[in-house]
């Protein structure tokens, strides 16, 4: 697994896709931060993270579209299927490579908060009260945890879809469609008058489970939910490749 992990992580930086992904991610996150905090003269970072989640609908498929579809297109899939490595190890190696790049980029994007911290220090030095001034650290940490968990789930979804087609464009388009549906399911629930349907859709909503993190609180049930999505998609991806190996 570690060999596949290193190979995939290196591949992101020996081709343009890794640099394109990082550049777009940082540019988009900076713009979102500018419009939701700096322009609004607000230290509340909740809106920033919520808009960033919607940006993941486009950003994550950029990261995952090539993971397995490229192997089929370049005819190197058979080499992986006959290599002395388990299918599970191969899939996990690719998954963790994408997850590490994603997580690293999210953490680097935290430089967007430096202007907020600088302004807060200036205001604090001139303030005559003891009231807290500046972004709330607990809120930022909670949102970061939630963002990383949702990203881990989205990457697993994109990985599974990438295993179903040899076209990177098709993998990206289908992944975007699925992620949009996952993001909007809660909003659809708010439009229905059925209490049962609203409860079910709210329970499976990706965004509704992010609310606790946005308040700086850790939600174990949300952790289990996002981990379950990732686990199921990785399991299905393994099953797809096991069928191809023995089919």
């Amino acid at each position: 697994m570690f060999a596949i992990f290193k190979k995939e992580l290196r591949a992101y930086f020996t081709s343009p896709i890794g640099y394109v992904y990082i550049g777009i991610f940082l540019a988009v996150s900076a713009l979102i931060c500018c419009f939701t905090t700096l322009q609004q003269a607000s230290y509340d970072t909740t809106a920033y993270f919520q808009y960033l989640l919607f940006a993941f609908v486009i950003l994550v498929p950029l990261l995952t579209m090539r993971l397995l579809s490229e192997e089929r297109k370049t005819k190197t899939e058979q080499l992986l299927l006959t290599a002395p490595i388990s299918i599970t190890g191969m899939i996990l190696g690719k998954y963790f490579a994408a997850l590490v790049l994603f997580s690293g980029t999210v953490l680097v994007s935290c430089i967007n908060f430096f202007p907020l911290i600088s302004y807060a220090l200036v205001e604090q030095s001139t303030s005559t009260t003891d009231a807290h001034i500046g972004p709330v650290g607990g809120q930022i940490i909670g949102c970061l945890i939630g963002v990383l968990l949702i990203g881990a789930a989205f990457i697993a979804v994109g990985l599974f879809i990438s295993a179903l087609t040899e076209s990177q464009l098709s993998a990206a388009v289908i992944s975007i469609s699925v992620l949009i549906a996952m993001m909007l399911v809660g909003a659809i629930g708010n439009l229905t008058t059925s209490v049962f349907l609203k409860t079910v859709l709210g329970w499976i909503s990706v965004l509704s489970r992010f609310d606790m993190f946005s308040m700086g609180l850790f939600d174990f049930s949300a952790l289990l939910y996002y981990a379950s999505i990732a686990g199921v998609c990785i399991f299905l991806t393994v099953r797809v490749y096991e069928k191809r190996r023995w089919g």
Side-chain angles (χ1 to χ4, degrees), residues 94-142:
K94 288 178 173 289
Y95 173 75
F96 284 121
L99 183 59
V100 166
L101 181 59
F102 169 82
S103 302
T105 309
V106 169
L107 295 178
V108 170
S109 69
C110 289
I111 60 176
N112 294 325
F113 301 130
F114 285 179
L116 295 180
I117 296 172
S118 299
Y119 293 150
L121 291 175
V122 172
E123 288 190 27
Q124 191 73 55
S125 64
T126 57
S127 175
T128 57
T129 68
D130 294 329
H132 173 78
I133 297 176
V136 180
Q139 182 186 68
I140 293 176
I141 293 173

Side-chain angles (χ1 to χ4, degrees), residues 164-245:
L164 301 177
T165 175
E166 67 178 30
S167 169
Q168 294 186 37
L169 180 60
S170 297
V173 171
I174 296 173
S175 296
I176 290 171
S177 302
V178 172
L179 296 184
I180 288 175
M182 293 175 66
M183 294 289 286
L184 295 181
V185 67
I188 295 173
N190 292 331
L191 297 177
T192 183
T193 57
S194 170
V195 176
F196 173 76
L197 189 59
K198 182 177 294 186
T199 302
V200 172
L201 293 177
W203 187 84
I204 63 176
S205 171
V206 172
L207 287 180
S208 66
R209 293 180 177 273
F210 181 73
D211 292 341
M212 295 293 287
F213 293 106
S214 66
M215 292 185 287
L217 302 174
F218 185 80
D219 187 353
F220 182 78
S221 64
L223 168 64
L224 185 61
Y225 173 71
Y226 296 134
S228 297
I229 292 177
V232 168
C233 289
I234 290 173
F235 172 77
L236 293 175
T237 307
V238 171
R239 294 297 299 165
V240 167
Y241 269 82
E242 285 181 344
K243 183 177 180 180
R244 288 179 188 164
R245 170 177 277 185

